[in-house]
Amino acid sequence: MKALTRFSLPSPPPRCGWPNPNHPNPLPNHLSFASASSSSAAAASLSASAHPSLDKPPVVVVGSANADIYVEIDRLPREGETVAARTGQTLAGGKGANQACCGGRLAHPTYFVGQVGDDAHGRLIEDALSSGNVRLDRLSRVAGAPTGHAIVMLQSDGQNSIIIVGGANMSCWPDDPREEDLKVIRRAGVLLLQREIPDRVNIQVAQVAKSAGVPVILDAGGVEAPVPKELLNFVDIFSPNETELARLTRMATETFEQISQAAIKCHKMGVKQILVKLGAKGSALFVEGEQPIRQPIIPAAKVLDATGAGDTFTAAFAVAMVEGKPNKECMRFASAAASLCVQVKGAIPSMPARTAVIELLQSIQVEDVMKISD
């Protein structure tokens, strides 16, 4: 097996490592999400649930971390063609890191279990997660592979095409999960997985979570190969977008009736709940034996970048679920978070603070009341 080390950098405080009371981002007594321009009045308007508590079961994300190399283009190049990008920049991302950062910014204790290379991209990701209030105790640096990265081709309408290089996300995982990682998973409120790390790792940690009574949410994003039946056996909520749902079920998903039939096929595969992200058409939750719950989008003032919207939706749903909200409220909360996400460029930079999500939901409620009174 190739060498693998925990973060342990010179000079205090260490960036990451074994649990350490002097760690720069231990499970905090207080998280602050206010920007320099935010007023204290806005922070005071948060509900009590906006402040993380040590006794909250954490969100645990096991998954990928990438350096996202963004290029802004007018259109995708044709075969054999070279096009010039308007701008380019490198930002932290990856579906696992995105979801972990979303959980942290939504003021819920969140751990990220993942791997980065011993390189500048790895430090970029570590800094981004730390600034998103994510616990880094279980983040590993591997010597045998570079940090995963992605080329994100962002078009002027906010749509994107992405090419992923797995790097440390797909290499150097130990044969068996580390006991320290399993301890965190066993006491989680929910385990979030995606498909940008090896299936065998997902299967191992999902089995442990299931045995401990921890709900498992699997985001379908990542590799295009069929989801192993063994993994689905441990999944409580399966969350594809409509394209992924069509590919995995080999069924059409152009209409809501077709999506419903594809969800039924997923039920037959053993998953009781299917949470489908439908882009501009909103989202839908299919619970076996119940009527579907449909959630329209909460319109964004502007759409700049949809890169992290699906990850934001899934993670926000998970946070609301752990906090005991009913399914309809979970979906509304997730929709509000995704609406804010698409208005900012970059995946992790676009993850919204809980203050902003609550304020958006409150503004919608006021609008609804005004419409009724009219």
Side-chain angles (χ1 to χ4, degrees):
M1 185 187 304
K2 296 178 181 178
L4 180 151
T5 58
R6 291 283 173 193
F7 280 109
S8 181
L9 303 185
S11 77
R15 288 181 178 271
C16 190
W18 299 103
N20 183 336
N22 297 318
H23 193 281
N25 194 21
L27 193 59
N29 292 315
H30 173 73
L31 297 181
S32 175
F33 296 91
S35 65
S37 60
S38 298
S39 67
S40 58
S45 69
L46 278 171
S47 66
S49 62
H51 298 281
S53 168
L54 290 173
D55 59 4
K56 285 184 179 180
V59 170
V60 176
V61 182
V62 178
S64 59
N66 288 328
D68 288 344
I69 303 168
Y70 277 80
V71 289
E72 295 188 29
I73 55 178
D74 294 319
R75 59 174 177 80
L76 294 174
R78 299 183 181 91
E79 185 176 351
E81 181 183 28
T82 299
V83 298
R86 293 191 302 277
T87 63
Q89 60 180 324
T90 302
L91 300 170
K95 294 187 70 65
N98 292 347
Q99 292 176 7
C101 201
C102 182
R105 287 189 178 160
L106 291 176
H108 196 95
T110 303
Y111 281 85
F112 178 63
V113 180
Q115 300 188 156
V116 296
D118 188 10
D119 50 36
H121 283 165
R123 289 182 282 279
L124 170 73
I125 291 165
E126 180 198 352
D127 290 343
L129 289 169
S130 182
S131 68
N133 300 289
V134 178
R135 283 292 299 259
L136 301 181
D137 306 60
R138 309 310 332 143
L139 179 62
S140 299
R141 180 181 293 167
V142 298
T147 299
H149 54 282
I151 311 299
V152 182
M153 293 171 282
L154 182 63
Q155 299 177 71
S156 56
D157 61 358
Q159 298 304 308
N160 61 73
S161 299
I162 304 173
I163 301 171
I164 295 175
V165 179
N169 295 316
M170 298 300 293
S171 303
C172 304
W173 288 86
D175 293 335
D176 297 306
R178 308 170 192 92
E179 184 56 34
E180 294 80 7
D181 296 343
L182 298 183
K183 288 178 182 178
V184 172
I185 292 168
R186 290 187 185 105
R187 65 181 182 84
V190 64
L191 174 66
L192 271 174
L193 305 174
Q194 324 80 38
R195 302 198 68 210
E196 291 182 344
I197 62 173
D199 282 330
R200 69 170 182 85
V201 177
N202 278 334
I203 291 170
Q204 289 169 332
V205 296
Q207 183 176 14
V208 170
K210 194 75 170 180
S211 298
V214 175
V216 178
I217 298 178
L218 173 63
D219 189 305
V223 297
E224 296 185 4
V227 182
K229 180 68 166 63
E230 187 179 1
L231 176 56
L232 288 177
N233 288 340
F234 302 125
V235 171
D236 295 280
I237 302 176
F238 182 54
S239 183
N241 60 31
E242 55 192 320
T243 302
E244 293 158 349
L245 182 63
R247 184 177 70 241
L248 293 168
T249 61
R250 299 183 180 180
M251 297 175 68
T253 56
E254 295 177 3
T255 68
F256 190 77
E257 176 59 29
Q258 291 172 334
I259 291 167
S260 300
Q261 292 302 312
I264 290 173
K265 184 170 183 178
C266 290
H267 291 325
K268 293 178 180 178
M269 294 176 182
V271 185
K272 302 298 183 183
Q273 300 184 61
I274 314 299
L275 179 62
V276 187
K277 294 157 286 197
L278 301 172
K281 293 179 287 186
S283 58
L285 177 64
F286 299 88
V287 180
E288 190 172 32
E290 299 180 13
Q291 289 296 313
I293 300 173
R294 300 182 70 172
Q295 170 64 48
I297 64 165
I298 295 176
K302 58 185 181 301
V303 177
L304 292 182
D305 182 5
T307 303
D311 294 329
T312 300
F313 182 92
T314 305
F317 182 95
V319 167
M321 184 186 77
V322 173
E323 293 175 353
K325 295 179 174 64
N327 284 335
K328 285 186 178 180
E329 192 172 340
C330 290
M331 295 186 70
R332 190 172 173 84
F333 185 80
S335 182
S339 176
L340 293 168
C341 168
V342 300
Q343 299 182 53
V344 180
K345 290 182 181 178
I348 285 179
S350 70
M351 300 297 158
R354 189 183 186 104
T355 48
V357 177
I358 292 174
E359 288 169 2
L360 176 57
L361 289 171
Q362 289 174 341
S363 70
I364 294 170
Q365 290 172 351
V366 170
E367 290 175 3
D368 291 344
V369 170
M370 293 178 65
K371 288 177 182 177
I372 293 173
S373 63
D374 290 343

